């Protein structure tokens, strides 16, 4: 039934009979119409579960996200990977979980499908998006993603087939410090079966614990939690002892009547508000959640709201916190002396402790008289229905405020309100939920669901409605497991821009809790078709046709710039290592290696914050720096099946992506630095001929289109938008070129990603709200109303770095030489004291990969130092002033420059990339003065240098701050120490000369004297020997007589020949 629906030929059907069968016909028609749009695609969906590291390959295994400690079992595998482009000495860890991925199609066996997908080249692509950290004092603010390709893995169960029976795909499930919530998007690589993209929310469950039997137990619900808090244990956020592992009682002496949530964090903390009754009525207990602990402060700090409003009795019904303004919006019920009650809106500033009355809510509901909305001016007529407010809500992006109860009031400035008459006064709103992207869902006390687009005045009922009847009929016909005839909705909420229901289903007396998408677009489209249709006779047939109220037929976005520069989304890409197996299946070792590579890639990202800029601006550069030249060799080994460990690691498979393309839709958010522009175009094709000619001054005729576009800015004083229209009459279309630009006036300076100003831009095609839809293979999508949050300030992912490469090159050029330290440190080159120091800095964009010279102004201060790295000392404020200020009179300057520009108080020099350089002084009272050399070389000193553009640079909203160490060698000695060393050196030299001269003159005499002394000693020895031998000869035998004779003969011979050397005599005596 893809063509027009027609009645059979025959007599004209009665009108009543036509209406009786219309509902059944319409249900079939709409179902077939949707099937026509997707008839080329099978109804297939991704299935994702979590598996522990040790449970890979087990069928039916599904685990909960409990473990947060990294796995230290993959390092041994990397030691086996010789001849691979990795450094085995580095630390490689694994994550505690894998993502197990399958897919299923209607009425087909899942195992057969997965095998078929693998054989046709299908590979799931997983994109993990980490939620940006809250506590920026502990963690870096960043928008981080990692894209992984899943690896095929055989099931461990026994199989009779030759290759595979059951298989799945696996990727590591990475975790990151500072984030416990991850968004997982699963898509196809474009081969094999078409499977629509799926999105899953994954979060670490800090509310689980292990019991005595080592089983995981859910702890929430063990105790009454009315006045308790339980933050759970998250080692990725804070220390283990900071979280609450059990219920902690707070506000024990208070009677809590209501908890008001705060949807946006600020200043590194999250918030919640408690409203009480009793003794502290009129106060708000403002709770701050930080690092797993909750603290409450009672506001206002001095006088209650009732006392400041001058009423005897009051009650705070609802409170909403606007974080960027440090403001509490209070909905207050006041009771006066005459027993009358009035409702008012007040504003309380938490910084100044001031309370301001903003608006008095009318006592009765206005009389709209058929209008969709009514401006409350005080002159309108009212009904007899009393207004009963129940809550207040503010969107911090577009500043749109709703007051709700048995009515809806809307305001964009907190003072002038509009009454939305479409919502019936007979109903009362129970709660409302907002996407903060332009959509609002409302739940009444009777469980009705209503829908509203912010900026419009039309309120739509989604349930119960004719559209819901059509939708539920189609779902029951298709036997959907998400719907039942007996169901109860528990809550309604937004995830991103999609509305979800949490519903309790009852099927065959068995209960089930499901989360399902609320098909807003389908319901509105069904409702439009069921309310506006025609029966036209064409020949002998009646044809059913629907009225299209959309002012255009086609809407496309064009000329969209690359998204990363504006969304600040960082993305890495990682593919699994190639396995040297012909079937292509991975094993446990290759998956573990994949874990280690993902970990190391994210670790490189986390440590890429060195003050010295690398020659190549990329976190992965150091990983492959020494191995790139051997890339062909590694490929040769893999091509010949000789890679160690049976895996081949491709260096190009682990990289950071800087050139993401636009997805033909506006980005999720836009960050604007000072004067930044964002431009795009909207192409609209009109339904019919919608152009007219009008005569204007100076022209004959001017074409005008009846399709118009409006741009609404939340802060027109801070940002501006220009719209240029181009009529394409030959295509019956109009092209609107829109440019959004920052006006450079609403923000001072801030650290990258901190304290950003929230704003928004809304683009609306006039007359399209709730009426225009686009059919896609993923279902209907609403068109004509676009809302984008805008953040004004210093975008995240920007930093200042010391350009050591160009600094060395320029210094060598200007000083005609360069002398490094004797002990060379490649990470911290030295600079000679007597040379002029020319520092240069880079602005590095971690998102886009841009790295360019910092052209702005900055202040350079020496804030610490020491002669060695172990003796570094931070200076106090007074010392920093004395060591760096040109106004110093204490003879303490460390450096100076010829730059004449200074700060407003003339305390410090203002420098730029064109400054003439720095001359080192180290005057008498400076810490680098008169250092004792550690060896034979000149003294060295390490300076701790702070560079900041705060208050001196008007080119950016970014407050860049860089602290780095500067190694200076060749420092001069003080005159006293130099003179002392000179005197000591001269004295030692003179002494050595005198000693040498004396030695040369006295040496012959010394030699002669020593010779004479030796002769005398020999004479004495010879004489004593003679008398000793003579005494022995008279008392001995014949042997003694013979010795005596020989002594006599020798004695007479010695007398005769005294010229014979005494040494010869001694030798003869010895014989």
């Amino acid at each position: 039934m893809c063509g027009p629906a027609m009645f059979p030929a025959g007599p004209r059907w009665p009108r009543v009979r036509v209406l009786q069968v219309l509902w059944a016909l319409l249900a079939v028609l709409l179902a077939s119409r949707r099937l026509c749009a997707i008839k080329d695609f099978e109804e297939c969906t991704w299935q994702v579960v979590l598996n522990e590291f040790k449970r890979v390959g087990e069928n039916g295994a599904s685990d909960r996200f409990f473990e947060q400690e990294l796995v230290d079992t993959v390092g041994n595998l990397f030691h086996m990977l010789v001849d691979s482009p990795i450094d085995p000495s580095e630390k490689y860890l694994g994550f505690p979980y894998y993502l197990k991925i399958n897919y299923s199609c209607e009425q087909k066996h899942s195992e057969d499908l997965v095998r078929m997908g693998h054989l046709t080249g299908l590979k799931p692509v997983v994109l993990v998006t980490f939620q940006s950290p809250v506590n920026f004092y502990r963690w870096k603010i960043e928008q981080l993603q990692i894209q992984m390709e899943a690896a095929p893995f055989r099931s461990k169960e026994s199989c009779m087939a030759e290759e595979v029976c059951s298989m799945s795909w696996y990727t590591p499930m990475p975790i990151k410090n500072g984030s416990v919530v991850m968004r997982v998007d699963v898509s196809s690589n474009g081969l094999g079966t078409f499977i629509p993209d799926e999105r899953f929310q994954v979060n670490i469950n800090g509310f689980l614990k292990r019991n005595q039997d080592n089983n995981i137990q859910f702890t929430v619900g063990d105790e009454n939690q009315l006045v308790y808090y339980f933050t759970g244990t998250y080692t990725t956020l804070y220390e283990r002892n900071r979280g609450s592992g059990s219920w902690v009682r707070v506000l024990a002496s208070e009677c809590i009547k209501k908890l008001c949530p705060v949807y946006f964090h600020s200043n590194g903390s999250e918030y919640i508000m408690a409203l009480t009754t009793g003794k502290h009525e009129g106060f708000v207990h403002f709770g701050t959640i930080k690092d797993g602990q909750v603290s409450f402060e009672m506001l206002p700090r001095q006088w209650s709201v009732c006392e400041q409003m001058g009423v005897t009795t009051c009650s705070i019904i609802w409170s909403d916190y606007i974080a960027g303004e440090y403001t509490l919006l209070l909905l207050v019920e006041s009771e006066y002396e005459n027993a009358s009650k009035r409702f008012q809106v007040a504003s309380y500033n938490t910084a100044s402790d001031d309370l301001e009355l903003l608006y008095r809510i009318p006592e009765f509901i206005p009389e709209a008289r058929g209008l969709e909305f009514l401006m409350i001016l005080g002159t309108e007529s009212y009904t007899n229905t009393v207004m009963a407010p129940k809550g207040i809500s503010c969107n911090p992006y577009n500043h749109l405020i709703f007051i709700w109860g048995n009515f809806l009031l809307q305001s964009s400035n907190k003072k002038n309100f509009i009454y939305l008459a479409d919502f019936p006064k007979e109903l009362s709103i129970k709660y409302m939920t907002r996407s903060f992207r332009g959509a609002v869902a409302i739940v009444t006390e009777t469980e009705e669901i209503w829908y509203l687009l912010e900026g419009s005045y039309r309120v739509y009922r989604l349930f119960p409605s004719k559209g819901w009847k059509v939708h539920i009929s189609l779902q029951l016909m298709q036997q959907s497991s998400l719907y039942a005839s007996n169901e109860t909705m528990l809550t309604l909420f937004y995830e991103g821009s999609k509305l979800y229901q949490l519903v309790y289903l009852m099927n065959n007396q068995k209960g089930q809790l499901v989360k399902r998408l609320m098909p807003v677009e389908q319901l509105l489209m069904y409702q439009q078709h069921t309310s506006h249709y025609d029966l036209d006779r064409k020949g002998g047939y009646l044809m059913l046709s629907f009225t299209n109220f959309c002012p255009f037929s086609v809407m496309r976005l064009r000329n969209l710039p690359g998204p990363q520069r504006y969304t600040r989304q960082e993305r890495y890409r990682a593919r699994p290592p190639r396995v040297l197996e012909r079937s292509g299946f991975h094993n446990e070792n290759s998956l573990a290696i994949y874990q280690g590579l993902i970990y190391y890639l994210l670790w490189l990202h986390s440590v890429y914050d060195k003050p010295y800029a690398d020659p190549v601006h990329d976190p992965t550069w150091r990983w492959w720096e020494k191995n790139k030249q051997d890339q062909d060799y590694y490929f040769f080994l893999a091509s010949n099946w000789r890679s160690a460990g049976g895996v081949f690691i491709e260096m190009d498979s682990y990289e950071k992506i800087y050139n993401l393309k636009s997805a033909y839709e506006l980005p999720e958010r836009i960050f604007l630095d000072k004067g930044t522009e964002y431009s795009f175009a909207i192409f609209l094709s009109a339904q019919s001929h919608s152009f007219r000619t009008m005569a204007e001054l100076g022209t004959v005729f001017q074409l005008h289109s009846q399709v118009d576009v409006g741009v609404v800015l939340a802060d027109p004083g801070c940002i501006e938008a220009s719209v240029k229209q181009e009529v394409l009459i030959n295509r019956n279309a109009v092209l609107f070129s829109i440019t959004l630009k920052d006006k450079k006036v609403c923000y001072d300076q801030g650290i990258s990603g901190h304290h950003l100003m929230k704003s928004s831009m809304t683009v609306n095609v006039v007359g399209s709200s709730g009426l225009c839809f686009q059919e896609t293979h993923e279902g209907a999508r609403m068109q004509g109303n676009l809302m984008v949050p805008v953040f004004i300030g210093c975008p995240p992912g920007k930093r200042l770095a010391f350009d050591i490469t160009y600094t060395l090159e320029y210094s060598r050029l200007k000083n005609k030489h360069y002398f490094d330290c004797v002990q060379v440190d490649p990470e911290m080159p030295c600079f000679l004291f007597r040379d002029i120091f020319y520092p240069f800095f880079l602005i590095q964009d971690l998102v886009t990969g841009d790295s360019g010279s910092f052209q702005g102004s900055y202040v350079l201060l020496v804030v610490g130092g020491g002669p060695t790295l172990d003796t570094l000392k931070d200076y106090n404020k007074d010392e920093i002033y004395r060591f760096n200020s040109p106004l110093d009179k204490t003879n303490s300057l460390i450096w100076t420059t010829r730059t004449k520009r200074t700060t407003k108080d003339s305390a410090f020099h203002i420098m730029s990339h064109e400054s003439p350089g720095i001359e080192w002084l180290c005057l008498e009272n400076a810490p680098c003065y008169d250092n004792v050399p550690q060896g034979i070389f000149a003294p060295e000193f390490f300076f701790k240098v702070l560079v900041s553009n705060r208050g001196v640079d008007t080119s950016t909203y970014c407050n860049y701050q860089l602290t780095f160490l500067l190694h200076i060698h060749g420092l001069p000695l003080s005159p006293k120490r130099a003179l002392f060393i000179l005197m000591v050196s001269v004295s030692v030299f003179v002494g050595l000369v005198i000693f040498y001269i004396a030695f040369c003159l006295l040496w012959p005499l010394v030699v002669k004297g020593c010779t004479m002394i030796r002769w005398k000693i020999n004479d004495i020895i010879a004489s004593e020997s003679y008398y000793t031998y003579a005494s022995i000869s008279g008392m001995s035998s014949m042997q003694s007589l013979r010795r005596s004779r020989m002594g006599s003969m020798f004695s007479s011979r010695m007398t005769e020949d005294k010229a014979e050397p005494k040494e010869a005599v001694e030798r003869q005596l010895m014989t």
Side-chain angles (χ1 to χ4, degrees):
M1 293 187 61
C2 294
M6 295 179 291
F7 291 101
R12 181 182 180 92
W13 284 23
R15 184 72 174 182
V16 176
R17 189 176 179 185
V18 171
L19 295 178
Q20 290 176 349
V21 300
L22 177 61
W23 283 110
L25 176 63
L26 183 60
V28 176
L29 174 64
L30 292 175
S32 62
R33 181 178 179 181
R34 184 183 178 190
L35 290 174
C36 290
I38 59 173
K39 64 182 180 181
D40 295 330
F41 308 111
E42 294 184 90
E43 288 288 343
C44 300
T45 57
W46 293 110
Q47 297 175 342
V48 178
V49 295
L50 207 63
N51 277 180
E52 287 189 16
F53 191 91
K54 58 186 178 182
R55 300 185 66 186
V56 173
E58 296 182 10
N59 282 350
S62 179
D63 299 299
R64 290 181 287 182
F65 214 141
F66 169 65
E67 301 292 343
Q68 304 175 48
E69 300 295 333
L70 297 175
V71 179
D72 192 12
T73 58
V74 303
N76 294 332
L77 297 175
F78 282 86
H79 290 292
M80 300 187 306
L81 301 182
V82 295
D83 285 336
S84 294
I86 54 101
D87 186 358
S89 63
E90 293 288 350
K91 186 75 170 177
Y92 295 92
L93 299 175
F95 300 103
Y97 295 99
Y98 287 95
L99 284 175
K100 179 182 179 181
I101 305 170
N102 291 314
Y103 76 95
S104 62
C105 302
E106 292 183 353
Q107 301 178 352
K108 291 188 178 181
H109 197 263
S110 178
E111 291 183 358
D112 297 339
L113 291 171
V114 174
R115 285 199 305 268
M116 180 187 69
H118 173 65
L119 294 175
T120 56
L122 173 64
K123 290 183 180 179
V125 177
V126 176
L127 180 65
V128 177
T129 303
F130 300 95
Q131 187 182 61
S132 183
V134 172
N135 187 359
F136 53 71
Y137 297 105
R138 180 183 292 268
W139 314 109
K140 181 175 66 174
I141 298 297
E142 59 185 359
Q143 317 289 331
L144 182 62
Q145 294 178 326
I146 182 168
Q147 178 181 307
M148 299 172 290
E149 185 181 276
F153 188 88
R154 292 188 185 96
S155 173
K156 291 182 179 178
E157 295 188 356
S158 59
C159 174
M160 300 299 295
E162 181 178 352
E163 286 293 338
V164 59
C165 289
S166 177
M167 60 159 289
S168 300
W169 289 283
Y170 287 87
T171 67
M173 181 61 238
I175 58 178
K176 172 181 170 294
N177 285 336
S179 179
V180 297
V181 178
M182 285 75 73
R183 190 182 71 203
V184 176
D185 293 280
V186 182
S187 59
S188 168
N189 64 343
L191 299 177
T193 305
F194 173 80
I195 309 173
D197 300 349
E198 288 279 346
R199 173 169 293 180
F200 304 89
Q201 298 290 337
V202 180
N203 66 286
I204 300 174
N205 197 335
F207 301 99
L208 299 176
K209 67 178 182 180
R210 293 192 182 274
N211 56 21
Q212 296 178 352
D213 299 330
N214 203 32
N215 295 322
I216 296 178
Q217 175 184 342
F218 193 60
T219 55
V220 175
D222 292 346
E223 196 174 327
N224 186 346
Q225 57 177 308
L226 182 59
V227 289
Y228 292 73
Y229 78 84
F230 188 112
T231 59
T233 302
Y234 295 97
T235 57
T236 59
L237 289 182
Y238 38 76
E239 292 83 359
R240 189 180 296 274
N241 59 351
R242 296 301 301 273
S244 59
S246 59
W247 292 105
V248 179
R249 190 174 184 180
V250 291
L251 304 176
S253 61
E254 302 292 338
C255 181
I256 308 297
K257 66 177 181 180
K258 194 175 296 181
L259 292 176
C260 301
V262 179
Y263 296 101
F264 295 91
H265 59 83
S266 68
N267 200 29
S269 301
E270 296 174 290
Y271 306 97
I272 191 170
M273 293 171 290
L275 304 181
T276 64
T277 61
K279 60 182 179 180
H280 289 145
E281 187 82 50
F283 288 93
V284 176
H285 294 272
F286 189 74
T288 301
I289 307 170
K290 188 173 184 178
D291 285 347
Q293 294 183 343
V294 181
S295 59
F296 281 89
E297 180 184 12
M298 193 168 68
L299 302 175
R301 297 181 179 89
Q302 296 182 356
W303 306 98
S304 70
V305 174
C306 306
E307 293 171 321
Q308 296 190 53
M309 293 179 65
V311 296
T312 56
T313 306
C314 77
S315 175
I316 301 177
I317 299 176
W318 195 264
S319 178
D320 195 22
Y321 182 57
I322 307 176
E325 302 175 6
Y326 303 98
T327 300
L328 289 176
L329 283 181
L330 306 174
L331 180 59
V332 184
E333 179 185 7
S334 304
E335 184 174 343
Y336 294 86
E337 296 179 354
N338 58 0
S340 63
K341 293 183 178 181
R342 295 295 300 271
F343 295 92
Q344 303 171 80
V345 178
S347 172
Y348 170 75
N349 190 288
T350 59
S352 62
D353 201 29
D354 294 332
L355 184 75
E356 178 186 2
L357 182 62
L358 297 178
Y359 182 69
R360 294 182 183 272
I361 299 175
E363 186 175 359
F364 298 97
I365 293 179
E367 180 64 59
R369 297 181 180 178
L371 299 175
E372 288 185 350
F373 68 93
L374 183 67
M375 177 70 72
I376 304 297
L377 300 175
T379 59
E380 55 279 346
S381 59
Y382 293 88
T383 65
N384 296 326
T385 306
V386 178
M387 276 190 167
K390 289 189 175 182
I392 187 170
S393 175
C394 178
N395 186 338
Y397 295 115
N398 58 16
H399 313 314
L400 203 62
I401 296 175
F402 284 105
I403 303 175
W404 44 268
N406 59 344
F407 62 91
L408 268 179
L409 291 181
Q410 173 181 298
S411 174
S412 58
N413 60 4
K414 305 177 186 175
K415 296 182 179 180
N416 301 314
F417 282 82
I418 295 174
Y419 170 66
L420 303 182
D422 271 0
F423 185 78
K425 61 182 180 296
E426 294 78 18
L427 299 177
S428 180
I429 298 176
K430 185 178 181 179
Y431 63 90
M432 64 188 308
T433 178
R434 307 175 76 162
S435 69
F436 301 102
R437 295 291 301 270
V440 180
I442 299 168
V443 178
T444 68
E445 295 289 352
T446 58
E447 299 299 324
E448 292 189 9
I449 302 175
W450 292 69
Y451 180 78
L452 168 69
L453 285 174
E454 293 179 346
S456 65
Y457 311 108
R458 184 79 183 274
V459 186
Y460 302 92
R461 185 166 63 175
L462 301 180
F463 172 82
S465 64
K466 295 180 180 179
W468 180 262
K469 290 181 179 179
V470 174
H471 174 71
I472 196 68
S473 300
L474 294 174
Q475 297 302 317
L476 294 177
M477 286 170 55
Q478 298 174 3
Q479 299 181 349
S480 173
S481 61
L482 299 179
Y483 293 84
S485 56
N486 186 7
E487 61 181 35
T488 302
M489 185 182 74
L490 301 183
T491 188
L492 194 70
F493 59 95
Y494 274 98
E495 279 187 2
S497 58
K498 292 186 177 181
L499 184 63
Y500 288 89
Q501 289 178 296
L502 188 61
V503 184
Y504 185 78
L505 305 180
M506 183 63 70
N507 282 320
N508 300 324
Q509 297 184 349
K510 184 179 180 181
Q512 182 185 9
L513 193 64
V514 300
K515 169 190 168 184
R516 71 188 185 196
L517 181 67
M518 186 71 174
V520 176
E521 294 83 357
Q522 290 285 354
L523 296 178
L524 293 178
M525 188 172 64
Y526 292 163
Q527 191 146 334
Q528 186 182 101
H529 291 329
T530 56
S531 302
H532 304 89
Y533 60 89
D534 292 311
L535 291 173
D536 299 326
R537 179 169 293 278
K538 295 293 181 68
Y541 299 92
L542 286 176
M543 180 173 289
L544 180 65
S545 62
F546 302 101
T547 305
N548 192 345
F549 294 95
C550 184
F552 56 85
S553 60
V554 176
M555 177 179 175
R556 296 192 183 98
L557 296 181
R558 292 185 173 181
N559 304 331
L560 290 166
Q564 288 177 285
R565 183 176 300 275
Y566 301 96
T567 63
R568 313 306 300 166
Q569 192 75 64
E570 298 182 69
R571 180 179 295 187
Y572 288 87
R573 177 165 51 208
R575 301 184 183 93
R578 294 195 179 185
V579 290
L580 303 184
E581 183 186 333
R582 300 190 185 279
S583 62
F585 286 104
H586 283 250
N587 53 43
E588 291 182 328
N589 288 345
S590 63
L591 285 182
I593 291 173
Y594 195 15
Q595 287 262 17
L597 293 172
I598 295 293
Y599 163 80
Y600 193 71
L601 181 63
L602 293 177
W603 179 81
L604 287 174
H605 167 81
S606 65
V607 298
Y608 189 65
D609 56 356
K610 297 191 310 178
Y612 281 58
D614 286 335
V616 178
H617 175 42
D618 190 284
T620 64
W621 174 74
R622 287 183 176 269
W623 193 359
W624 313 119
E625 173 192 6
K626 300 178 181 178
N627 297 306
K628 272 291 185 182
Q629 59 184 3
D630 300 324
Q631 187 171 7
D632 294 337
Y633 169 69
Y634 300 132
F635 180 75
F636 168 79
L637 292 178
S639 301
N640 290 273
W641 301 80
R642 294 185 178 180
S643 296
V647 296
F648 169 46
I649 300 174
E650 295 182 275
M651 289 180 275
D652 294 337
S653 295
Y654 302 87
E655 60 181 347
K656 192 170 186 179
I657 304 174
Y658 299 109
N659 56 349
L660 287 178
K661 303 300 181 182
S662 174
Y664 300 102
E665 60 183 8
L666 289 181
E668 184 178 353
R669 56 192 169 266
I670 294 176
F671 289 88
L672 293 181
D673 198 355
K674 198 168 191 177
T676 305
E677 295 183 355
Y678 180 82
S679 300
F680 65 100
I682 299 179
F683 175 86
L684 294 173
S685 180
Q687 288 284 3
S688 59
H689 186 69
S690 60
F691 301 103
R692 64 181 184 273
T693 56
M694 294 181 60
E696 294 186 358
L697 185 62
T699 62
V700 180
F701 289 103
Q702 182 71 31
L703 283 174
H704 286 267
S705 171
Q706 297 183 27
V707 181
D708 295 321
V709 167
V711 179
V712 180
L713 303 178
D715 297 279
C718 302
I719 52 179
E720 60 183 357
S722 60
V723 181
K724 180 181 178 182
Q725 175 182 309
E726 181 182 358
V727 177
L728 308 174
I729 191 170
N730 59 329
R731 303 182 62 181
N732 195 29
V734 188
L735 186 68
F736 294 94
S737 299
I738 302 174
T739 300
L740 177 68
K741 184 178 180 180
D742 173 69
K743 294 175 108 174
K744 307 182 182 180
V745 294
C746 285
Y747 196 84
D748 184 15
Q749 279 183 305
I751 299 175
S752 177
H754 293 198
H755 305 294
L756 301 170
M757 176 183 172
K758 294 183 177 69
S759 188
S760 69
M761 173 187 67
T762 301
V763 181
N764 183 267
V765 180
V766 178
S768 67
S769 296
L771 300 175
C772 299
F773 308 94
Q774 180 188 20
E775 285 283 1
T776 69
H777 61 273
E778 296 180 351
R781 186 173 65 178
M782 194 175 298
Q783 286 190 312
N785 194 76
L786 305 172
M787 190 269 198
V788 184
V790 177
F791 295 89
I792 303 174
C794 182
K798 282 193 166 186
R799 73 166 193 147
L800 186 68
F802 180 37
D803 189 359
I804 183 64
T805 303
Y806 187 70
T807 298
L808 290 175
E809 179 182 340
Y810 192 81
S811 297
R812 183 181 291 108
L813 176 66
K814 299 295 289 186
N815 295 316
K816 309 301 183 183
H817 61 260
Y818 171 71
F819 298 106
D820 204 343
C821 289
V822 176
Q823 297 180 352
V824 178
D825 182 1
E827 297 293 329
M828 189 188 300
C830 294
F831 293 91
L832 190 62
F833 177 86
R834 69 171 182 265
D835 288 345
I836 302 297
F837 177 57
Y838 300 94
F840 290 90
F841 302 94
L842 294 172
I843 297 297
Q844 293 188 329
D845 194 323
L846 304 179
V847 178
T848 64
D850 295 338
S851 180
S853 176
F854 176 50
Q855 304 291 318
S857 302
Y858 61 90
V859 173
L860 186 146
L861 302 174
V862 176
V863 296
T868 63
L869 291 175
D870 297 330
T871 58
L872 285 176
K873 172 191 173 183
D874 291 332
Y875 303 144
N876 57 39
K877 292 184 178 180
D878 179 65
E879 291 173 328
I880 292 175
Y881 179 85
R882 291 190 294 109
F883 298 157
N884 298 274
S885 176
L887 300 180
D888 175 65
K889 304 299 183 183
T890 62
N891 206 27
S892 303
L893 279 179
I894 293 178
W895 61 278
T896 187
T897 180
R898 297 179 183 177
T899 301
K900 302 301 181 183
R901 186 183 172 199
T902 61
T903 55
K904 293 181 180 180
D905 57 359
S906 301
F908 302 107
H909 292 286
I910 298 178
M911 305 182 68
S912 69
H913 68 288
E914 298 176 344
S915 297
I918 288 175
E919 180 183 353
W920 301 108
L921 298 178
C922 290
L923 298 183
E924 184 176 357
N925 294 321
C928 53
Y929 177 79
D930 193 24
N931 276 310
V932 179
Q934 300 297 319
I936 63 174
F937 302 105
E940 299 178 353
F941 205 86
F942 292 88
F943 291 115
K944 188 176 182 180
V945 180
L946 170 66
V947 175
S948 174
N949 69 334
R950 176 72 176 175
V952 299
D953 184 21
T954 59
S955 64
T956 178
Y957 286 142
C958 292
N959 175 16
Y960 294 120
Q961 291 187 358
L962 172 66
T963 303
F964 64 99
L965 293 179
L966 196 61
H967 193 182
I968 304 297
H969 70 118
L971 274 71
L973 301 172
S974 67
K976 292 183 179 179
R977 188 175 298 276
L979 180 60
F980 172 77
I981 293 176
L982 177 63
M983 295 298 294
V984 172
S985 301
V986 170
S987 300
V988 171
F989 177 75
V990 171
L992 290 174
V993 171
I994 294 174
F995 176 78
Y996 177 74
I997 295 174
F999 180 80
C1000 293
L1001 294 175
L1002 297 177
W1003 178 249
L1005 299 177
V1006 172
V1007 172
K1008 186 175 181 179
C1010 290
T1011 303
M1012 294 176 64
I1013 293 173
R1014 188 172 59 183
W1015 274 100
K1016 291 181 179 180
I1017 293 174
N1018 290 335
D1019 290 340
I1020 294 172
I1021 293 174
S1023 300
E1024 289 181 352
S1025 299
Y1026 170 77
Y1027 288 114
T1028 301
Y1029 286 120
S1031 173
I1032 294 175
S1033 63
M1035 297 172 63
S1036 62
S1037 60
M1038 291 300 295
Q1039 183 178 2
S1040 299
L1041 180 62
R1042 188 179 61 182
R1043 291 181 178 176
S1044 176
R1045 290 178 178 178
M1046 291 177 63
S1048 300
M1049 293 173 61
F1050 186 79
S1051 175
S1052 61
R1053 182 181 176 184
M1054 181 180 63
T1055 305
E1056 294 174 356
D1057 192 3
K1058 292 184 178 179
E1060 184 177 358
K1062 293 184 178 182
E1063 289 81 2
V1065 175
E1066 292 177 356
R1067 285 195 297 269
Q1068 291 184 9
L1069 288 174
M1070 293 299 296
T1071 58

